[in-house]
Amino acid sequence: MEPMPLVHVSWALADNAARPACDAFFRDVFGASTAHEILITPETEKLGLDREESLLMIGDSMVIPIAPAGRGVQQGHPLGDMLRRSAGPGRWIGVALKVSDLAAADAWFAARGFKRHYDPGMESFYFIVPRGQVMGLRLEIVRQDMPGDPRRDPSWRPASDHPLGIEGLQAIGLSCDSPENAAELFHGKLSWPQLRLRDLPEAKCLAFAMGDTVLEVLTDRREDGPVARHALDVKGICHLAFKVRDARRAAQYLRGLGLPLIGDVEDRFAIAPDAAQGRLIWFTETTPPGYPAPGSRLAEFAAQPQT
């Protein structure tokens, strides 16, 4: 199977009224730029649009908060109900991975026993591997390019003058209760290379190469620890981790905004989730052995055929 670069990470908001504040948080604090917006207009409402979302570029990665709108606000609407189920502190929807041949990707996943879901009318563009089959990680396998995605230009680079100093997405974290099951799924069934075992302050970490980024699978050392509770009650993605140029400067910048920090600036620190739209987003100055260097994923992403 060809490498599958990360296209985006998405999460849900239950109420579209909360989306502008969420988007503003990432623009104001992270220096996120907007690649594209999908909004309800009289024309899109007639076409049945069921959501609103901003495609936000944070460093070299796209993050998309999505809220039900239009037809999606109706109870019983499939996408609207999924967004409402997926909304809440510590919850994410999943990731999208890029392929050049959707039919070949479908056959590859089918041969490994994964059920695939196709939204009506979208059969040529993407399919979904539901989160229940991937330890709570919803996979969207896409052929099409995201509108306005600047990474399609091989010469594009993220802005380098923001005081937070994000160089790139280092890893996506996933909570689990069985590292053995995680290794069987991600390394065995999905054939993602296993990188290394790593000890984090909050959990043991088993890392896998997921396309051009890293999936960190965390197992709590305590039965009642935060990672264990996430694995039991929420499942799926539990954090993002961004590489920054200067951790001390980044922490000083965030504290200057009045944001409370957790963790260790010398190792890995985060804005307290209550002050970060309910999600855990780490920052670090160090790159663990075996992890890709920040910025290296752009070349791999741009090398994918455009559609």
Side-chain angles (χ1 to χ4, degrees), residues 53-259:
E53 60 189 66
S54 295
L55 282 56
L56 302 175
M57 296 303 303
I58 301 176
D60 60 1
S61 301
M62 183 178 285
V63 176
I64 310 180
I66 309 172
R71 296 182 183 180
V73 302
Q74 301 170 6
Q75 295 294 325
H77 186 280
L79 183 125
D81 287 350
M82 183 278 288
L83 292 174
R84 285 181 282 272
R85 286 194 308 270
S86 302
R91 294 181 181 273
W92 309 68
I93 299 174
V95 301
L97 304 175
K98 182 74 157 48
V99 296
S100 58
D101 188 329
L102 196 65
D106 179 278
W108 190 88
F109 277 92
R112 284 152 180 79
F114 290 100
K115 295 179 180 178
R116 290 90 55 225
H117 169 78
Y118 284 86
D119 288 333
M122 296 290 108
E123 293 84 356
S124 299
F125 300 101
Y126 67 84
F127 64 83
I128 293 165
V129 180
R131 67 194 304 265
Q133 299 182 70
V134 198
M135 300 184 79
L137 177 66
R138 181 182 188 264
L139 297 179
E140 185 177 342
I141 309 301
V142 305
R143 182 185 66 84
Q144 83 280 10
D145 298 321
M146 299 301 291
D149 192 334
R151 296 169 296 183
R152 303 312 306 163
D153 179 357
S155 66
W156 178 83
R157 291 295 179 271
S160 59
D161 57 352
H162 191 270
L164 190 52
I166 288 178
E167 293 186 335
L169 180 68
Q170 183 177 94
I172 297 170
L174 186 85
S175 65
C176 84
D177 56 7
S178 171
E180 294 79 15
N181 289 346
E184 181 180 351
L185 170 63
F186 295 114
H187 182 58
K189 200 170 178 181
L190 283 167
S191 301
W192 293 350
Q194 187 169 319
L195 300 180
R196 66 185 296 251
L197 287 168
R198 182 179 173 216
D199 278 331
L200 297 173
E202 72 275 22
K204 293 183 177 180
C205 171
L206 188 59
F208 302 90
M210 182 176 67
D212 57 352
T213 193
V214 173
L215 182 70
E216 295 181 329
V217 180
L218 274 58
T219 308
D220 211 315
R221 297 182 185 85
R222 300 173 296 167
E223 292 183 0
D224 61 346
V227 174
R229 291 195 300 271
H230 189 280
L232 178 65
D233 299 332
V234 179
K235 297 182 175 59
I237 296 174
C238 59
H239 74 241
L240 301 185
F242 285 98
K243 170 71 168 58
V244 295
R245 286 188 295 274
D246 186 323
R248 287 183 177 274
R249 184 185 178 197
Q252 183 180 19
Y253 160 74
L254 294 170
R255 289 187 180 117
L257 296 176
L259 295 168

